[in-house]
Amino acid sequence: MNTKFRAKAMKEDNNSDKITRKEAIQKMGKYAALTAVGTFVILNPLKAQSSSPPDAGGDPFD
């Protein structure tokens, strides 16, 4: 096999799995949105507030 042909074939293989900057930003945006939704579901403030014990001593700074 010719060395120049082999080098060109390897370059073509390496470029096939790369993505553009625009595609990378889109994928990151989707991941960030999914992470935000997951975090909100896990740390839902209304659910956490309703399951916390009632205030036993009042406001300590009053």
Side-chain angles (χ1 to χ4, degrees), residues 8-23:
K8 186 176 179 182
M10 289 179 67
K11 282 184 180 180
E12 289 174 2
D13 288 342
N14 289 341
N15 289 336
S16 65
D17 60 347
K18 292 184 180 179
I19 62 173
T20 64
R21 183 181 303 263
K22 183 178 179 180
E23 291 172 330

Side-chain angles (χ1 to χ4, degrees), residues 32-53:
L34 182 65
T35 304
V37 168
T39 303
F40 183 74
V41 168
I42 292 171
L43 302 175
N44 190 345
L46 295 176
K47 188 175 182 180
Q49 192 176 32
S50 67
S51 66
S52 63

Side-chain angles (χ1 to χ4, degrees), residues 1-13:
M1 186 180 236
N2 189 352
T3 307
K4 287 184 180 181
F5 179 73
R6 191 177 330 151
K8 186 176 179 182
M10 289 179 67
K11 282 184 180 180
E12 289 174 2
D13 288 342

